[in-house]
Amino acid sequence: MSSSTAALAAAAAASAALLVLAAFAGGVEARERESAWLPAAKKMAAAPKKVAAAAAAKVPAVIVFGDSTVDTGNNNVVATMLKSNFPPYGRDLGAATGRFCNGRLPPDFMSEALGLPPLVPAYLDPAYGIADFARGVCFASAGTGLDNATAGVLAVIPLWKEVEYFKEYQRRLRRHAGRAAARRIVRDALYVVSIGTNDFLENYFLLVTGRFKQFTVGEFEDFLVAQAAGFLAAIHRLGARRVAFAGLSAIGCLPLERTLNALRGGCVEEYNQVARDYNVKLNAMIAGLQSSLPGLKIAYVPVYDDMLNLINNPSTLGLENVEQGCCATGMFEMSYLCNEKNPLTCPDADKYFFWDSFHPTEKPILKILAKELQILSSWCAMIGIPSFTQWSYFSSTDTM
């Protein structure tokens, strides 16, 4: 089979999966328990552990932009089929909050390590208000991308709208805390950005937006990097100064991509190569941008190698399956196809790298995050905040 034929076949299969997902969504929507988890989740967010008081003083809030890797529940109230606010999502967190995971996400761990609440609330979550958002807020939306066309595929929040919510948030913050305090929160907050996977897997390689006709892969990488630069410049104008920006992971090794690559087997190396090429360009852009925007300190977070190392050496973390997700068959299910009615969901997510066909479980998230934050310790010193590695639950992951 030629590469172009294989790509079309993969796109057709993925499109069919999306159609099945859309059809299934209607049947499950009525069974969503959108309010059952709210009291417990809010109680947890309001009662952080008594750690890192000094760090909390230096980092008053964690502010999040991006996609499903960091979306803490905004899609719950968006008219999209891409949701996860129902079991078994959140199974090990104790509640299905809209996080695409069995537990917590990177911003949650980072927030707790800084002495802030252990759950970063979603901006559109009606259970939270500006008093909560003053200590942390998430604008991310699962399924979105740097390219506005990506958000249109599954009708989610585009990145430009996330920025508009950030502007609205600042207006609310000024009314709540006063102009000077609001300015300090925005200036001293830690900004977490994770985005880009959907631009390739949901947009370009899925052949649904026309970008594959408009750009070569390399040109599309350049286009996305330019979009990322524009986004960073925009939030810098709005006051952001400390930004952690994640590169792409080994996107060709996601279970869904392995499934679509069944004829050849294994990870899709072409996709992994695209991720590596994009990461090089993104890192170079970040280095250049810091020299041109006063006060901007950006840490590039290189997640690719650590993810691949765990997939290639799963026993180092006690993992038994790195090819399928824990939920359902783990080959293609996510969102509504990953639901409590499926009897095939694994009993112990800690043995799996992936929770569904697209997203990791909490265990590798924490392991990879701990490794990356060790790398970023010098960046923490540069921006005047304590290193994350001094907090026990990050440093202890090395002994897992």
Side-chain angles (χ1 to χ4, degrees):
M1 181 181 290
S2 69
S3 59
S4 60
T5 302
L8 288 170
S15 297
L18 288 176
L19 289 174
V20 171
L21 178 60
F24 191 78
V28 179
E29 189 86 43
R31 295 195 295 271
E32 289 184 357
R33 301 184 179 93
E34 294 194 0
S35 60
W37 56 269
L38 293 176
K42 189 167 185 180
K43 181 179 179 181
M44 181 180 182
K49 295 177 181 178
K50 294 181 179 179
V51 297
K58 293 187 176 182
V59 182
V62 171
I63 299 177
V64 186
F65 295 91
D67 55 24
S68 60
T69 55
V70 289
D71 179 3
T72 61
N74 284 308
N75 275 22
N76 295 354
V77 296
V78 175
T80 176
M81 62 184 174
L82 194 59
K83 296 176 184 285
S84 59
N85 55 334
F86 45 83
Y89 285 101
R91 187 176 69 184
D92 297 307
L93 178 60
T97 60
R99 289 164 172 80
F100 279 80
C101 187
N102 63 306
R104 289 193 284 168
L105 298 178
D108 298 317
F109 290 115
M110 297 171 78
S111 177
E112 185 177 13
L114 291 168
L116 296 166
L119 294 178
V120 178
Y123 185 63
L124 299 183
D125 189 332
Y128 298 94
I130 191 59
D132 304 297
F133 300 145
R135 305 185 71 198
V137 62
C138 175
F139 302 106
S141 176
T144 201
L146 291 161
D147 182 1
N148 289 332
T150 302
V153 175
L154 290 172
V156 298
I157 303 169
L159 187 58
W160 68 263
K161 185 64 175 179
E162 292 186 26
V163 175
E164 289 299 308
Y165 283 137
F166 181 43
K167 294 177 184 177
E168 178 185 85
Y169 160 77
Q170 291 195 35
R171 292 192 293 269
R172 294 175 63 187
L173 191 61
R174 286 193 291 269
R175 291 194 296 269
H176 168 72
R179 187 170 295 273
R183 186 183 302 112
R184 185 186 70 82
I185 291 170
V186 170
R187 181 196 64 214
D188 293 344
L190 175 63
Y191 293 79
V192 179
V193 185
S194 179
I195 195 168
T197 297
N198 298 315
D199 291 302
F200 291 104
L201 299 185
E202 182 187 307
N203 178 346
Y204 191 88
F205 291 122
L206 200 56
L207 313 181
V208 295
T209 66
R211 293 302 197 196
F212 72 100
K213 294 180 180 178
Q214 185 178 357
F215 300 111
T216 65
V217 174
E219 290 170 345
F220 190 59
E221 293 166 5
D222 294 337
F223 170 74
L224 294 180
V225 170
Q227 295 297 107
F231 161 76
L232 288 168
I235 64 170
H236 175 265
R237 286 193 298 272
L238 294 170
R241 292 298 181 266
R242 303 161 162 179
V243 183
F245 201 117
L248 290 186
S249 66
I251 60 177
C253 293
L254 302 181
L256 179 60
E257 305 313 317
R258 287 179 182 267
T259 299
L260 298 176
N261 194 43
L263 292 178
R264 290 184 291 176
C267 300
V268 183
E269 176 53 29
E270 294 92 331
Y271 291 179
N272 282 349
Q273 183 62 56
V274 166
R276 292 192 294 269
D277 293 343
Y278 167 83
N279 286 342
V280 170
K281 295 176 180 180
L282 178 68
N283 198 9
M285 178 275 290
I286 286 173
L289 201 62
Q290 289 191 102
S291 63
S292 63
L293 295 179
L296 182 62
K297 303 297 182 184
I298 314 174
Y300 169 73
V301 185
V303 299
Y304 182 97
D305 287 338
D306 288 324
M307 172 183 172
L308 205 58
N309 285 340
L310 272 182
I311 288 175
N312 290 334
N313 303 283
S315 63
T316 60
L317 195 59
L319 301 175
E320 297 178 3
N321 190 321
V322 296
E323 297 183 0
Q324 291 88 33
C326 168
C327 191
T329 68
M331 298 176 68
F332 63 89
E333 297 93 344
M334 63 177 165
S335 189
Y336 288 107
L337 296 182
C338 170
N339 62 82
E340 63 182 340
K341 301 297 183 182
N342 197 306
L344 299 177
T345 297
C346 78
D348 185 2
D350 280 350
K351 296 179 180 179
Y352 283 71
F353 187 101
F354 294 99
W355 169 247
D356 60 17
S357 68
F358 218 76
H359 306 96
T361 59
E362 181 181 88
K363 189 175 183 180
I365 284 176
L366 182 53
K367 176 65 175 179
I368 292 172
L369 184 61
K371 181 71 177 295
E372 300 306 326
L373 292 177
Q374 289 175 355
I375 295 173
L376 298 180
S377 59
S378 60
W379 179 75
C380 290
M382 177 180 66
I383 64 174
I385 65 174
S387 171
F388 289 93
T389 55
Q390 68 181 278
W391 313 127
S392 60
Y393 71 77
F394 278 139
S395 59
S396 64
T397 56
D398 285 337
T399 62
M400 284 183 177

